[in-house]
Amino acid sequence: MNALAQAAELQQQAIDLLLNEREMIDQRLAQLGNGELHIKRRGRPKKSEAPEQEKAPE
């Protein structure tokens, strides 16, 4: 096995390990509900989230 083949194999192993770790993290986040309940959003709300009172009367 030459150096290029060995490097390619190690690179593939690293990619596989990272994908497995990503999958475990995604599973853990799913168990925790993605933390959506604890996120404080900053900035202006989206137009679809704006309360009815902010609209101008016609």
Side-chain angles (χ1 to χ4, degrees):
M1 179 179 275
N2 64 18
L4 290 177
Q6 187 177 7
E9 183 178 330
L10 289 173
Q11 183 180 23
Q12 188 59 47
Q13 287 177 2
I15 291 171
D16 291 341
L17 287 171
L18 288 172
L19 289 174
N20 288 339
E21 186 175 352
R22 170 72 185 265
E23 187 176 318
M24 289 179 5
I25 290 170
D26 288 343
Q27 289 174 357
R28 182 69 174 146
L29 286 173
Q31 288 176 347
L32 298 173
N34 285 335
E36 293 176 6
L37 299 176
H38 303 291
I39 293 176
K40 290 186 178 181
R41 303 201 186 273
R42 293 185 178 185
R44 295 178 61 148
K46 294 179 183 177
K47 288 187 178 184
S48 62
E49 295 177 1
E52 294 295 323
Q53 295 174 349
E54 291 183 13
K55 292 183 179 178
E58 293 181 9

